[in-house]
Amino acid sequence: DLASKDEYPALGEEDKLWVRIRQEARWDSVKEPVLASYLYSSILSHGSLERALAFHLGNKLSSSTLLSTQLFSLIIDTFMEDDGIRRAVREDIKAVKGRDPACNSYSHCLLNFKGFLACQTHRVAHRLWNQGRQSLALALQSRVSEVFHVDIHPAAKIGSGILFDHATGLVVGETAIIGNNVSILHHVTLGGTGALGGDRHPKIGDGVLIGAGAIILGNVKIGEGAKIGAGSLVLINVPPRTMAVGNPAHLVGGKDSPAQLK
Amino acid sequence: DLASKDEYPALGEEDKLWVRIRQEARWDSVKEPVLASYLYSSILSHGSLERALAFHLGNKLSSSTLLSTQLFSLIIDTFMEDDGIRRAVREDIKAVKGRDPACNSYSHCLLNFKGFLACQTHRVAHRLWNQGRQSLALALQSRVSEVFHVDIHPAAKIGSGILFDHATGLVVGETAIIGNNVSILHHVTLGGTGALGGDRHPKIGDGVLIGAGAIILGNVKIGEGAKIGAGSLVLINVPPRTMAVGNPAHLVGGKDSPAQLK
Amino acid sequence: DLASKDEYPALGEEDKLWVRIRQEARWDSVKEPVLASYLYSSILSHGSLERALAFHLGNKLSSSTLLSTQLFSLIIDTFMEDDGIRRAVREDIKAVKGRDPACNSYSHCLLNFKGFLACQTHRVAHRLWNQGRQSLALALQSRVSEVFHVDIHPAAKIGSGILFDHATGLVVGETAIIGNNVSILHHVTLGGTGALGGDRHPKIGDGVLIGAGAIILGNVKIGEGAKIGAGSLVLINVPPRTMAVGNPAHLVGGKDSPAQLK
């Protein structure tokens, strides 16, 4: 059981984050009547954060041939079977609010951040993939790519406390691994180098920050706390707490004595 | 009152741009019956450019929980309250038609250019933001990011005569300022450098051209008439009428004697 | 008549690719009842690959003012008039399945790959453009840009056996030409250099591979079998079977003795 009292409410406990999100939604619906019906159907009418998120994703990812009610059921069932996903949803919301100065409330993240919404759908698709439900996982990947412009292979492993900022154009390959508390800006690629299969995508350590437009290719290791400069092309391992910049990327301070980040 | 006879018709005056757009739509609906119903509902059934644009944006930005009729009312009301926006809409259409060789008619810009449509929605969101209606402004920003793949913070200030060409992936941060007659290609970022708040985004002067994929970070100043090469990473001020290229970007001709553009 | 027995079934012949796609869809609908209704309406209820693809595109590209039934008719009629398009559809599906290690079935490509779907819609728009139906071709381009985040001018010429991998942000200009068996990753630009008209976009030879985020500008020639590195900015001709990398791009091995790719 991954749930802890600090991070995720046990049955019967108060869910402080959800209480807070509802307060924000009530406040906004009083201040802004145009949004009242939207906030009611998206947040206030639901009994839990999981149900609100599943409803919101079901609506956004539905199409004329994939019904929102089917998607809602699929997503809420997956959430309810997996404590780890429910905890990660909460850690991601806190990460977005905490790390993005343009995020002014938890409900803003829940409703409006396509990087957050794409990441949570990936968590569902990843679980389905691991259960052998590949065609369904791939259908979700495809809808996320169409609706949120984020293309994450369902096999990719992603930790918690994730910020996908702006998110447009993010591509994450099949054998990529992303650790905890990672921040990735838009237009970032964690891609392959043309190998025909096997373990061919980057491994991103805990606490890494990857700037806008960075392209990281191949089975390289980005150590914990490293920073990848915007617009970099990274084809090498990057040690922990160092910074790589440029096209092709080099370590700031040089390969033999890279400058240590605090 | 920003309206001038040249740019924006006063009450009772003929609106030459709107007359022209209707002529184009009539022409196209005769030539192409498949589009007749679309052109009628999007252009020919409306009494003004503002109403046609508000209807078109309301349709495109609507969702199962944000109704097109609500969005139409919100957008048309904002247009009608703000002469500056109505003038900017017209200057932007002329800029797209004048500067993009692939734009063959005003109605094509009005109906099909997602950069134009994203920019006009931003003008509405920016006014709402300045009126303290932040949650509504952020909801519009989010829909524009989902539907047009353009993510502009509602607080960003944008002049008129703007061409966002292709537009996919454009990101403009909270404290960015874009002057008049600016052309920006797709995948351009006007972003921050990780500062936690405050004035942290680029200031783009009048007449600047920013090439595809350029990333400009931090509170730097791009002087009027400057050109930023495609794929550049710009972390420095760029003087007026000079060109910056490369990753990281340098001034063409050197820092001490940059080549002057005509 | 471009059809050959190997590539495209003549009237009365069995269509092996379509038989295979139906088998995959049946298999998936048994394994995954959530998808059964979707697979039935998208694949199993149709009598040919062309009808299934036209239905799927009609659904995805429709809007409140452009009906899916109109789009279906337009697309299926175009397919039925043009053997070359029907053959290219099949060669593209085989190219995606053959070259993309993340593509595990033909039906996955048909249903889920936005690069494939964008390319087939472009083939329809290109035919309409050449028939003088410019406003309709431009409306299709615009919907593809909104729905699949791929912006290809309808006048651009594209061969067959094409893989647009991930596809988000791909931009192809009006006078660009793409040969056969070309693979292009996401965020690639085949753009102009600011010329006001005329022949101003790249020409891509057969068998070229263009990495993620590469920007190729101007009327330059990328020779057959060449490779363009991810994140490159290419402003020069690239000879056949050579590799160009960097910003700005240079030939690997040098201009005078570039290394030959196998």
Side-chain angles (χ1 to χ4, degrees):
Chain A
D1 184 359
L2 290 170
S4 81
K5 281 196 179 180
D6 288 350
E7 296 293 350
Y8 178 66
L11 216 71
E13 270 196 332
E14 190 189 45
D15 183 345
K16 284 177 187 171
L17 180 61
W18 176 233
V19 169
R20 171 68 179 269
I21 287 171
R22 291 176 63 88
Q23 282 172 338
E24 292 173 354
R26 264 193 299 266
W27 186 276
D28 279 342
S29 71
V30 169
K31 251 190 94 180
E32 193 60 80
V34 176
L35 290 177
S37 145
Y38 167 63
L39 291 167
Y40 180 78
S41 66
S42 303
I43 293 181
L44 295 169
S45 68
H46 299 287
S48 68
L49 173 55
E50 285 75 14
R51 293 186 74 86
L53 178 56
F55 174 87
H56 197 53
L57 290 175
N59 268 342
K60 290 204 177 279
L61 299 173
S62 67
S63 70
S64 60
T65 48
L66 263 178
L67 302 183
S68 62
T69 47
Q70 282 183 302
L71 288 166
F72 171 79
S73 297
L74 177 71
I75 294 168
I76 190 69
D77 288 353
T78 307
F79 285 166
M80 288 301 110
E81 285 160 26
D82 192 328
D83 272 3
I85 294 183
R86 295 208 298 285
R87 196 180 62 155
V89 166
R90 285 165 163 78
E91 290 182 5
D92 290 354
I93 292 182
K94 289 174 188 171
V96 174
K97 173 78 162 59
R99 271 181 252 152
D100 181 356
C103 182
N104 63 3
S105 73
Y106 297 105
S107 59
H108 178 33
C109 168
L110 174 63
L111 294 174
N112 294 333
F113 271 57
K114 66 187 186 186
F116 170 77
L117 297 171
C119 187
Q120 307 325 313
T121 313
H122 168 76
R123 298 189 186 288
V124 174
H126 182 61
R127 186 176 165 92
L128 295 168
W129 181 268
N130 286 338
Q131 294 173 332
R133 301 177 72 177
Q134 301 199 353
S135 57
L136 188 53
L138 292 168
L140 284 182
Q141 175 194 8
S142 167
R143 286 301 291 159
V144 168
S145 176
E146 285 178 13
V147 174
F148 300 128
H149 332 112
V150 169
D151 193 354
I152 308 175
H153 193 285
K157 292 178 182 147
I158 299 185
S160 63
I162 301 296
L163 167 61
F164 291 154
D165 202 3
H166 304 295
T168 315
L170 175 62
V171 171
V172 178
E174 182 175 359
T175 59
I177 299 179
I178 298 174
N180 298 316
N181 304 313
V182 168
S183 298
I184 298 182
L185 274 279
H186 51 288
H187 295 159
V188 164
T189 297
L190 306 182
T193 50
L196 277 180
D199 193 353
R200 63 199 186 280
H201 296 107
K203 312 296 179 269
I204 310 299
D206 293 345
V208 166
L209 169 64
I210 305 178
I215 300 173
I216 309 178
L217 298 182
N219 186 3
V220 296
K221 193 166 180 171
I222 311 302
E224 56 169 320
K227 292 190 180 180
I228 308 299
S232 304
L233 173 69
V234 180
L235 305 167
I236 54 171
N237 292 322
V238 176
R241 283 170 300 287
T242 57
M243 183 161 189
V245 299
N247 176 350
H250 58 271
L251 304 182
V252 173
K255 200 176 71 171
D256 296 323
S257 56
Q260 289 288 302
L261 298 168
K262 284 164 214 163
Chain B
D1 183 0
L2 291 171
S4 80
K5 280 194 179 181
D6 289 350
E7 296 295 347
Y8 177 67
L11 218 70
E13 270 197 332
E14 189 188 46
D15 182 346
K16 286 177 186 172
L17 180 60
W18 177 233
V19 169
R20 171 70 178 268
I21 287 171
R22 291 176 62 87
Q23 284 172 338
E24 294 173 354
R26 264 192 301 266
W27 187 276
D28 280 342
S29 71
V30 169
K31 252 191 93 180
E32 192 60 78
V34 176
L35 290 177
S37 144
Y38 167 64
L39 291 166
Y40 180 77
S41 66
S42 304
I43 293 181
L44 295 169
S45 67
H46 299 285
S48 68
L49 174 54
E50 285 75 14
R51 294 186 73 86
L53 177 56
F55 174 86
H56 199 52
L57 290 175
N59 268 341
K60 289 202 176 281
L61 300 174
S62 67
S63 70
S64 58
T65 48
L66 263 177
L67 301 182
S68 61
T69 47
Q70 281 182 303
L71 288 166
F72 171 78
S73 298
L74 176 72
I75 295 168
I76 191 67
D77 289 352
T78 307
F79 285 166
M80 289 301 110
E81 286 161 24
D82 191 328
D83 271 4
I85 294 183
R86 295 208 297 285
R87 196 180 61 156
V89 165
R90 286 166 162 79
E91 292 184 3
D92 290 353
I93 292 182
K94 290 174 188 170
V96 174
K97 172 78 162 57
R99 272 181 250 151
D100 180 357
C103 183
N104 62 3
S105 74
Y106 298 106
S107 59
H108 177 35
C109 168
L110 174 63
L111 293 174
N112 294 334
F113 272 56
K114 64 187 188 185
F116 170 77
L117 298 171
C119 187
Q120 306 327 312
T121 313
H122 169 76
R123 299 189 187 288
V124 174
H126 183 61
R127 187 176 163 90
L128 294 169
W129 180 268
N130 286 339
Q131 294 172 331
R133 301 177 73 178
Q134 301 199 352
S135 56
L136 188 53
L138 292 168
L140 284 181
Q141 175 195 8
S142 166
R143 285 302 291 158
V144 169
S145 177
E146 285 178 12
V147 174
F148 301 128
H149 334 110
V150 169
D151 193 354
I152 308 176
H153 193 284
K157 291 177 184 149
I158 299 184
S160 63
I162 300 297
L163 167 61
F164 291 153
D165 202 2
H166 304 294
T168 315
L170 175 62
V171 170
V172 178
E174 182 175 1
T175 60
I177 299 177
I178 297 174
N180 297 316
N181 304 314
V182 169
S183 298
I184 298 183
L185 274 280
H186 52 288
H187 296 158
V188 164
T189 297
L190 307 181
T193 48
L196 277 178
D199 194 353
R200 63 198 185 280
H201 296 107
K203 311 297 178 268
I204 310 298
D206 293 345
V208 166
L209 169 64
I210 305 178
I215 300 173
I216 309 178
L217 299 182
N219 185 3
V220 297
K221 194 167 179 170
I222 311 300
E224 55 169 323
K227 292 191 182 180
I228 307 299
S232 304
L233 173 69
V234 180
L235 306 166
I236 54 172
N237 292 323
V238 175
R241 285 169 299 287
T242 56
M243 182 160 189
V245 299
N247 176 352
H250 58 272
L251 304 181
V252 173
K255 199 176 73 171
D256 296 323
S257 57
Q260 289 289 301
L261 298 168
K262 284 163 214 162
Chain C
D1 183 0
L2 291 170
S4 80
K5 281 198 177 180
D6 288 349
E7 297 294 348
Y8 177 67
L11 218 70
E13 269 198 332
E14 189 188 47
D15 183 346
K16 284 178 189 172
L17 180 60
W18 176 233
V19 168
R20 172 70 180 268
I21 288 171
R22 290 176 63 87
Q23 282 171 338
E24 292 173 354
R26 263 192 300 266
W27 186 276
D28 279 343
S29 71
V30 169
K31 249 190 94 180
E32 193 60 79
V34 176
L35 291 176
S37 144
Y38 167 65
L39 291 166
Y40 180 78
S41 66
S42 304
I43 293 180
L44 295 169
S45 67
H46 300 285
S48 69
L49 174 55
E50 286 75 15
R51 295 186 72 86
L53 178 56
F55 174 86
H56 198 53
L57 290 175
N59 268 340
K60 288 203 176 281
L61 299 173
S62 67
S63 69
S64 58
T65 49
L66 264 178
L67 300 183
S68 61
T69 47
Q70 282 182 302
L71 289 166
F72 171 78
S73 297
L74 176 72
I75 295 169
I76 190 69
D77 289 353
T78 308
F79 284 166
M80 288 301 110
E81 286 161 25
D82 192 329
D83 272 4
I85 294 184
R86 295 209 297 286
R87 196 180 61 155
V89 166
R90 285 165 164 78
E91 291 183 4
D92 289 354
I93 293 182
K94 290 175 188 169
V96 174
K97 172 78 162 59
R99 272 181 252 151
D100 180 356
C103 182
N104 62 4
S105 75
Y106 297 106
S107 59
H108 178 34
C109 168
L110 173 64
L111 294 174
N112 294 333
F113 271 56
K114 65 188 189 185
F116 170 77
L117 298 171
C119 187
Q120 306 326 312
T121 313
H122 168 76
R123 300 190 185 285
V124 174
H126 182 61
R127 185 175 164 92
L128 295 168
W129 181 269
N130 286 339
Q131 294 173 331
R133 301 176 74 177
Q134 300 199 353
S135 57
L136 188 53
L138 293 169
L140 283 182
Q141 175 194 9
S142 167
R143 284 303 291 160
V144 168
S145 176
E146 284 179 12
V147 175
F148 301 128
H149 332 112
V150 170
D151 193 355
I152 308 176
H153 193 285
K157 292 178 184 147
I158 300 184
S160 63
I162 301 296
L163 168 61
F164 291 152
D165 202 3
H166 304 296
T168 315
L170 175 62
V171 170
V172 178
E174 182 175 359
T175 60
I177 300 178
I178 297 175
N180 298 316
N181 304 314
V182 169
S183 299
I184 298 182
L185 274 278
H186 51 288
H187 296 157
V188 164
T189 297
L190 306 181
T193 49
L196 278 180
D199 194 353
R200 62 198 188 280
H201 296 107
K203 311 297 178 267
I204 310 298
D206 293 345
V208 167
L209 170 64
I210 306 178
I215 300 172
I216 309 178
L217 298 182
N219 186 3
V220 296
K221 193 168 181 169
I222 311 300
E224 56 169 320
K227 292 190 181 183
I228 307 300
S232 303
L233 173 69
V234 179
L235 305 167
I236 55 171
N237 292 322
V238 176
R241 286 170 299 287
T242 56
M243 182 160 190
V245 299
N247 176 352
H250 58 271
L251 304 182
V252 173
K255 200 175 71 171
D256 297 322
S257 56
Q260 289 289 301
L261 297 168
K262 285 163 214 163

